[in-house]
Amino acid sequence: MENSTTSILDVTRIEPRLKHPTIFARFDALKPGEGFILYNDHDPKPLYYQLLNERGDIFNWEYLEKGPEWYKIRISIKKALEHEETLGEMAANDPRKVQVFKKYGLDFCCGGHLSLREACEEKGLDPVKIEKELQQADQFQATRPLPFNDWGIDFLADYIVNTHHSYVRKSLPDLLTYAEKVFKVHGDRHPELNAVDDLVNEIAEELLSHMVKEENVLFPFIKELVSAKNTHRPYKRPGFNTIANPIRMMEVEHETVGKKMEEIRHLTHHFTLPEDACASYELLFRMLEEFEDDLHQHIHLENNILFPKALALEKELSQA
């Protein structure tokens, strides 16, 4: 029999409706330290979030091959007591460290599930050097950062809507206008602006739909959970059964938008202006960079603070 630490599960050969049950069966049979290699014809990132939500942070997820045609991922169960603080946890516990992550391009929101060691390995960075800077992170901010991790999750949900959702809705019309305008004027000399314009439109469409789902479905249920705890009464089970389901969907959508913003940064060479850039070109890049900064903070607050606490609260109430 093939050793479970080296076995390959080729899901391209499995009927679609049986793929996830087969993967979960293989996963559940693993012992600490054991794993298998998942072989697929597309990025199975939604599976990562499903495993995380339904099994918890008990596994490692390592890309051995990442497209464009084939994906190989080593999935293994962490050894007993093995836990490295993730970038997301570090950012949640001390927001001042975010400045260091931004300096080195370390993704603390969509990619916040990685440890510092894993993130540095992925980017070819020296973790020892960055760890030293993280220990001095309090020098980056003269004022005390907002204590997001200490807030009630109902208050945090309102903060996200009033701060980040409001910013997105206010910023998108100008961003869409200038992305199109700059493409029309400069696109013949800078063809990448066509892709930038398309990506901005895709991001706008996806975020506007995404925020409506949060405001009308997920966030009201989070407030219902908080109210149930505060009043010591049972909560009504929603149509989506468990909060893990909409959270998983929101995290996948975060990942999608985050990748599109990353692609814009790549296309624009980190928002570097060409010599023939006009005032509108400069304004577009400035707006894109500001939008990206806000998006990172927006996703961080949800992925690394709001969602984990909401999942924990639902679990607590269901066991009461």
Side-chain angles (χ1 to χ4, degrees):
M1 180 177 176
E2 193 175 21
N3 189 295
S4 62
T5 59
T6 58
S7 64
I8 294 177
L9 179 57
D10 183 355
V11 295
T12 64
R13 301 174 180 271
I14 300 175
E15 188 179 343
R17 67 182 181 86
L18 298 177
K19 285 185 179 182
H20 277 210
T22 303
I23 294 168
F24 270 78
R26 177 70 66 88
F27 180 90
D28 291 337
L30 297 174
K31 297 177 181 178
E34 293 183 339
F36 63 92
I37 296 172
L38 182 70
Y39 185 73
N40 203 10
D41 55 7
H42 63 273
D43 191 349
K45 199 58 178 286
L47 172 67
Y48 167 82
Y49 291 114
Q50 186 176 357
L51 283 170
L52 189 62
N53 285 326
E54 297 185 16
R55 297 297 185 269
D57 186 21
I58 63 170
F59 63 95
N60 296 308
W61 177 279
E62 178 189 1
Y63 283 97
L64 303 178
E65 186 174 336
K66 199 171 184 179
E69 295 183 11
W70 303 108
Y71 288 79
K72 290 183 181 178
I73 300 95
R74 179 181 288 116
I75 302 173
S76 60
I77 302 295
K78 293 180 179 179
K79 296 179 181 178
L81 303 179
E82 176 186 347
H83 176 73
E84 292 183 78
E85 192 176 28
T86 65
L87 297 188
E89 290 169 339
M90 294 168 75
N93 293 328
D94 187 351
R96 293 170 295 189
K97 293 181 177 179
V98 166
Q99 298 303 322
V100 179
F101 298 149
K102 287 183 177 180
K103 176 181 176 181
Y104 290 99
L106 295 172
D107 183 359
F108 62 94
C109 50
C110 296
H113 59 279
L114 296 177
S115 68
L116 178 64
R117 174 186 56 79
E118 292 168 332
C120 288
E121 183 177 303
E122 195 174 82
K123 284 188 167 286
L125 299 170
D126 180 0
V128 176
K129 175 185 175 183
I130 296 175
E131 178 61 41
K132 288 180 180 178
E133 291 195 30
L134 288 170
Q135 292 171 5
Q136 301 170 348
D138 56 350
Q139 298 176 11
F140 286 97
Q141 219 162 339
T143 58
R144 178 179 172 79
L146 291 174
F148 300 114
N149 211 24
D150 298 334
W151 292 351
I153 56 175
D154 51 346
F155 183 86
L156 180 58
D158 282 340
Y159 174 87
I160 289 168
V161 171
N162 291 318
T163 302
H164 297 291
H165 288 198
S166 177
Y167 170 82
V168 169
R169 290 191 173 102
K170 182 179 178 181
S171 302
L172 279 177
D174 284 343
L175 199 53
L176 288 163
T177 296
Y178 278 92
E180 182 180 14
K181 178 180 179 180
V182 173
F183 161 58
K184 286 182 176 179
V185 174
H186 296 272
D188 57 336
R189 296 184 301 281
H190 302 284
E192 71 278 3
L193 292 172
N194 186 9
V196 170
D197 182 41
D198 287 344
L199 287 165
V200 169
N201 277 274
E202 290 170 14
I203 288 169
E205 182 178 354
E206 289 164 5
L207 274 180
L208 290 172
S209 171
H210 174 89
M211 294 187 301
V212 168
K213 285 181 280 190
E214 288 188 333
E215 293 169 14
N216 294 338
V217 180
L218 180 55
F219 289 1
F221 183 63
I222 287 175
K223 292 181 180 181
E224 168 67 16
L225 291 175
V226 173
S227 177
K229 180 177 181 179
N230 291 341
T231 58
H232 306 287
R233 62 171 175 79
Y235 65 92
K236 183 180 179 182
R237 187 167 292 279
F240 48 76
N241 188 37
T242 169
I243 200 171
N245 291 325
I247 282 178
R248 181 162 59 248
M249 180 186 296
M250 295 302 99
E251 288 177 327
V252 169
E253 291 178 2
H254 287 166
E255 180 84 12
T256 299
V257 172
K259 283 185 176 179
K260 291 182 188 297
M261 280 304 307
E262 186 178 345
E263 189 175 350
I264 288 175
R265 176 172 279 276
H266 175 73
L267 287 167
T268 60
H269 305 288
H270 301 276
F271 307 115
T272 301
L273 289 166
E275 292 184 359
D276 61 342
C278 64
S280 294
Y281 210 134
E282 183 178 356
L283 178 59
L284 172 63
F285 276 24
R286 190 162 66 245
M287 287 193 298
L288 282 169
E289 193 161 18
E290 180 185 277
F291 191 87
E292 182 188 56
D293 281 343
D294 182 84
L295 185 67
H296 285 169
Q297 178 71 352
H298 180 175
I299 295 175
H300 160 62
L301 292 178
E302 294 186 3
N303 280 14
N304 300 324
I305 301 179
L306 182 65
F307 293 169
K309 289 189 175 185
L311 286 163
L313 177 56
E314 184 190 53
K315 183 177 181 181
E316 175 189 338
L317 292 173
S318 66
Q319 295 175 345

